[in-house]
Amino acid sequence: MADPAAHVIAGFANVSLSSLHWSHTSDACIHPEQAGLCATANGSLAQTAAAGTDAVGLEAASSRSSGQSNGSDDPAVQKFHAALSMPNIDIAQLQKLSWKGIPGKYRSTAWRLLMGYLPLNASRRGPTLLRKRREYDDWVSQTFARGEESLDRALWHQIRIDVPRTTAGSPLFQAPRVQRSLERVLYCWAARHPASGYVQGINDLLTPFFYVFLEPHLPPLPGGAAHSHPELAAAAIDTLDGAQVSAVEADSFWCLTKLLDGIQDNYTHAQPGIQRQIVKMKELVARIDSSLAAHLDTEGVEFIQFAFRWMNCLLMREVNLESTVRMWDTYLAEPDGFSSFHIYVCAAFLLKWSKELAQLDFQQIMFFLQQPPTASWSAKDVELLLSEAYMYKCLYHNAPSHYTSSAVAKR
Amino acid sequence: MSSYAYLFKYIIIGDTGTSCLLLQFTDHRFLHSHDLTIGVEFGARIVPVDNKNIKLQIWDTAGQESFRSITRSYYRGAVGALLVYDITRRDTFEHVATWLEDVRKHSNTETTIILIGNKCDLEAKRSVSREEGEKFASDNGLYFIETSAKTASNVDDAFIQTAQDIYEKVQEGVLVVNGEPSGVKLGPSQPGVSSMPDVSQINGYGCC
């Protein structure tokens, strides 16, 4: 096989069990230039009862790389390709690679592996996906079997009015089909987690998963452009069949569940996780940039006034969806990325504006931080932020405050 | 232009409509699909009261119950509270008593509270009568007004009426300027601005 991706795909097709949700054919056949690949995958599928090479999603990914021979010129792509082709994924290696950003076509697979949703062992992936998707589907069927009247009215109402306001600027998330999916995921999650229930902001956290998992299934764009913009993806959503959308929905549900398991106390009563994070962030900023900390204090700015949202929505309100997705590559690769490392990212985010903030009074600071100038941010800006955060983590993570020079100087 | 005699701190609370009201007041804009408020949002505007500029700094608080323990911490510093319900949604009016209890418990006793029935442009969908709103307000010693954040009807009045009441309390000495927690502050001293010198002299503000 000339295309190494095709080999991978065929391999996955063989090891994966069929997914009842999955219509693989339409997915693999949307790229004429990959016809050979399509046939291979279908051939494999034919032997496995039904469609289901989605086990890792690589088939869609490989077919995206039109004209570039699997993008093999790019060493990062090659490394991911090799790492994801192993029958037993080396998670440490995958984390190391992912920290620096995951190529678009491997992201759906890599995220699900890094979340611990997809098993590292290739042969277990198919059965696991099948079981998990079925479990979610059964849950949805049971929950919604008796119509909206049987639902928790207040909860359902809240979710129904929040979903249209979720990532409202993106046509993808304005598509009725997508909105129905988000509603089901959020309701099912909340119903299963009464300790916190649905807290606004959790709706935001669902969108990167949905976006990333949906992306490989969208038809290619003219000129071979990737679906790197939600706007471009919007037009394509209606071309998908129901099974594809429900698989994306189920995977999103399980990954959201895993994410929230790690930051549950951000959303329980009085949100103690967030309160703790803000205290840590404030300490950190004071150690790194004592004059900024002093200025904020003099102006009467409290960290909770601006950083609450940064924690509650993981900075998703401050940067665009593309930037969030890139940030999550790294968060997923960091131990406690969404809880601990996020504090360093928030500190780095604030410190980025240190010079500007020093010139501003209370009101100006609040306005500035409420709408930080990130509209033109690209992956580069996000990567710089992540590097700065990493540097702060290395410098301060295990260093008690009394060892720092600024703390000593104050005494 | 940006000089002001006093600064008053406000909160806006209620199940719904708080962000639209603030946006209309500060930016003269209305959004059909406003971003969800997470925790609190900040806004500010200067209004005239008794020929003086008063700066209002306003915390718009998230309506969701989950955020209540966070948003409550903003009550204490506020001298003005706008309690909003939606005249087309009876449930939001039914929650007003709980909101009031909450704000009474956690704010200053002298906080001026105004009850606001929002969406008065949607008369056909009204499910809470004006009289009901008025009665609740008078029974509980609140100001009352019906507004439309969409058409801007009465929005300025809701904020300014509250500011007038607070201003009178300041003049009468009921509210202490720069007290702790201070929901009322003096404006920065503005040498050469005619309306300001007496204020700064009285309080010694601006003297080095």
Side-chain angles (χ1 to χ4, degrees):
Chain A
M1 232 172 276
D3 185 345
H7 173 69
V8 174
I9 291 148
F12 283 133
N14 286 327
V15 295
S16 65
L17 282 187
S18 60
S19 161
L20 294 179
H21 306 280
W22 209 253
S23 170
H24 158 268
T25 310
S26 61
D27 192 28
C29 285
I30 50 180
H31 309 284
E33 75 276 14
Q34 296 290 340
L37 169 62
C38 185
T40 305
N42 280 338
S44 305
L45 280 172
Q47 295 162 14
T48 60
T53 55
D54 170 65
V56 293
L58 276 181
E59 77 290 6
S62 66
S63 54
R64 187 63 34 77
S65 60
S66 52
Q68 265 209 6
S69 172
N70 193 30
S72 56
D73 293 345
D74 183 343
V77 169
Q78 278 181 340
K79 281 181 189 163
F80 268 93
H81 181 72
L84 293 173
S85 302
M86 301 202 310
N88 275 299
I89 304 263
D90 177 349
I91 190 71
Q93 188 202 10
L94 182 61
Q95 285 168 339
K96 199 176 158 203
L97 290 175
S98 300
W99 207 102
K100 297 171 198 155
I102 304 170
K105 63 180 182 176
Y106 297 115
R107 189 172 268 132
S108 171
T109 302
W111 276 28
R112 287 180 293 170
L113 286 160
L114 292 165
M115 286 302 307
Y117 172 57
L118 277 183
L120 300 177
N121 183 299
S123 66
R124 287 181 49 223
R125 266 170 232 156
T128 301
L129 266 190
L130 180 64
R131 184 169 50 79
K132 294 304 254 182
R133 289 173 178 175
R134 214 180 245 163
E135 196 181 325
Y136 173 74
D137 276 4
D138 289 347
W139 182 262
V140 168
S141 306
Q142 283 166 23
T143 307
F144 295 93
R146 285 175 295 134
E148 287 188 14
E149 295 70 31
S150 65
L151 303 177
D152 177 327
R153 268 187 70 185
L155 173 60
W156 184 239
H157 172 78
Q158 191 66 58
I159 289 170
R160 284 297 295 265
I161 60 171
D162 286 359
V163 162
R165 298 185 285 172
T166 303
T167 321
S170 157
L172 173 66
F173 289 102
Q174 292 307 302
R177 227 178 155 186
V178 172
Q179 294 193 346
R180 297 298 85 76
S181 280
L182 299 186
E183 286 163 10
R184 285 188 293 267
V185 171
L186 292 171
Y187 188 88
C188 287
W189 184 86
R192 294 182 108 170
H193 295 84
S196 62
Y198 167 69
V199 175
Q200 288 173 331
I202 290 177
N203 53 328
D204 292 299
L205 305 190
L206 173 58
T207 58
F209 290 122
F210 202 89
Y211 174 57
V212 166
F213 298 156
L214 186 69
E215 208 269 344
H217 304 298
L218 297 172
L221 293 162
H227 291 94
S228 54
H229 295 287
E231 287 73 13
L232 299 175
I237 179 82
D238 284 333
T239 65
L240 304 187
D241 65 39
Q244 288 173 311
V245 177
S246 75
V248 168
E249 181 181 321
D251 291 0
S252 301
F253 170 83
W254 289 114
C255 286
L256 177 74
T257 302
K258 286 201 172 272
L259 167 68
L260 291 171
D261 281 351
I263 52 172
Q264 206 189 350
D265 61 356
N266 280 10
Y267 304 105
T268 49
H269 179 68
Q271 307 188 262
I274 292 182
Q275 308 256 23
R276 259 199 318 275
Q277 283 182 308
I278 291 175
V279 169
K280 281 187 192 160
M281 180 192 166
K282 188 181 174 182
E283 284 172 4
L284 192 60
V285 170
R287 291 162 72 185
I288 301 170
D289 186 343
S290 56
S291 68
L292 175 63
H295 177 62
L296 294 177
D297 193 47
T298 307
E299 287 299 322
V301 175
E302 290 173 38
F303 277 61
I304 199 163
Q305 290 166 342
F306 61 88
F308 180 81
R309 191 172 66 181
W310 296 7
M311 304 301 174
N312 193 78
C313 304
L314 296 175
L315 276 179
M316 282 190 65
R317 296 292 185 91
E318 282 64 40
V319 299
N320 60 32
L321 186 57
E322 287 293 301
S323 297
T324 297
V325 166
R326 173 60 193 88
M327 275 171 68
W328 286 24
D329 288 347
T330 299
Y331 280 23
L332 285 164
E334 266 284 325
D336 302 318
F338 293 93
S339 48
S340 174
F341 187 66
H342 181 62
I343 300 170
Y344 292 94
V345 173
C346 287
F349 190 73
L350 178 69
L351 292 164
K352 199 168 263 305
W353 324 110
S354 182
K355 261 188 202 155
E356 287 90 336
L357 294 171
Q359 311 298 319
L360 307 179
D361 66 15
F362 172 85
Q363 187 169 313
Q364 293 164 326
I365 292 168
M366 287 313 305
F367 284 136
F368 186 96
L369 293 177
Q370 230 162 240
Q371 281 192 307
T374 55
S376 63
W377 268 32
S378 66
K380 237 183 176 175
D381 298 291
V382 176
E383 281 165 5
L384 182 60
L385 178 73
L386 292 165
S387 314
E388 287 161 352
Y390 184 71
M391 183 184 71
Y392 293 138
K393 183 190 158 186
C394 293
L395 287 172
Y396 295 98
H397 191 54
N398 291 314
S401 57
H402 58 270
Y403 290 147
T404 65
S405 55
S406 63
V408 171
K410 276 182 197 162
R411 290 178 182 202
Chain B
M1 33 148 251
S2 64
S3 74
Y4 53 91
Y6 293 104
L7 186 159
F8 297 164
K9 291 188 181 174
Y10 277 37
I11 48 166
I12 316 182
I13 55 175
D15 281 3
T16 180
T18 59
S19 303
C20 292
L21 215 56
L22 178 62
L23 189 67
Q24 183 57 260
F25 178 64
T26 57
D27 287 34
H28 309 291
R29 284 193 298 141
F30 177 76
L31 292 177
H32 277 280
S33 188
H34 197 283
D35 273 358
L36 291 175
T37 307
I38 301 295
V40 293
E41 295 235 11
F42 179 79
R45 190 182 139 186
I46 290 175
V47 295
V49 172
D50 191 28
N51 291 321
K52 289 191 173 66
N53 281 340
I54 308 286
K55 178 182 272 200
L56 306 184
Q57 284 187 342
I58 306 144
W59 292 105
D60 162 31
T61 65
Q64 202 189 17
E65 173 71 35
S66 325
F67 297 121
R68 209 62 59 82
S69 54
I70 302 298
T71 53
R72 268 190 201 120
S73 62
Y74 292 81
Y75 291 11
R76 220 165 94 81
V79 285
L82 280 62
L83 202 179
V84 189
Y85 67 92
D86 175 349
I87 67 155
T88 71
R89 276 179 56 198
R90 177 150 284 276
D91 59 320
T92 66
F93 180 65
E94 281 161 2
H95 294 158
V96 159
T98 316
W99 281 109
L100 182 60
E101 198 181 310
D102 216 32
V103 74
R104 285 257 158 89
K105 198 167 152 192
H106 294 95
S107 69
N108 305 318
T109 47
E110 292 307 330
T111 298
T112 298
I113 307 170
I114 185 167
L115 181 66
I116 298 177
N118 191 37
K119 296 201 187 177
C120 69
D121 56 300
L122 299 177
E123 192 56 50
K125 289 188 181 171
R126 179 189 283 275
S127 72
V128 182
S129 73
R130 193 188 160 83
E131 291 70 31
E132 279 177 280
E134 276 173 342
K135 181 167 186 322
F136 184 93
S138 71
D139 287 352
N140 290 281
L142 318 176
Y143 285 91
F144 178 75
I145 197 166
E146 285 194 344
T147 62
S148 166
K150 191 176 175 182
T151 68
S153 165
N154 281 347
V155 171
D156 282 7
D157 292 348
F159 287 86
I160 292 170
Q161 214 182 90
T162 314
Q164 270 162 348
D165 186 68
I166 297 165
Y167 179 77
E168 281 161 26
K169 285 179 183 170
V170 171
Q171 299 304 305
E172 290 160 10
V174 177
L175 278 171
V176 182
V177 176
N178 292 346
E180 199 55 50
S182 65
V184 180
K185 283 184 177 167
L186 275 179
S189 84
Q190 301 282 325
V193 177
S194 59
S195 64
M196 297 301 294
D198 47 347
V199 168
S200 57
Q201 275 164 22
I202 290 164
N203 294 277
Y205 193 92
C207 298
C208 301

